[in-house]
Amino acid sequence: MSASNAEDFPSQMKQPIRDLHQSLADLKQCLHTFNTNYKNMKSASTDPLSKARVELTTAYAMNSLFWIYLTTKGVNPHEHPIKDEI
């Protein structure tokens, strides 16, 4: 953000934007950790019920993240085909 844009930005929004940025960085780290552990779990001899739980949790989490993404883009998730998948 350039200096002129920073001056136009409402001061009351600066901290929420910083918080959002930090939350996204935390999410990125969590997804990286999950991805690494997921690959290890897929190759390990884990019982089928545990694998199914991980697969279902993963699908739900990804759909939820997409729901949030749609909301941030101004799309009503209730009117999007993703609703039928969740």
Side-chain angles (χ1 to χ4, degrees), residues 1 6 9-26:
M1 185 179 327
F9 200 76
S11 61
Q12 67 269 23
M13 292 301 297
K14 289 180 182 179
Q15 191 58 47
I17 296 298
R18 285 186 193 108
D19 293 345
L20 175 62
H21 181 69
Q22 183 59 50
S23 294
L24 290 174
D26 293 346

Side-chain angles (χ1 to χ4, degrees), residues 22-36:
Q22 183 59 50
S23 294
L24 290 174
D26 293 346
L27 176 62
K28 182 178 179 181
Q29 181 60 43
C30 287
L31 290 174
H32 175 72
T33 302
F34 172 79
N35 191 36
T36 301

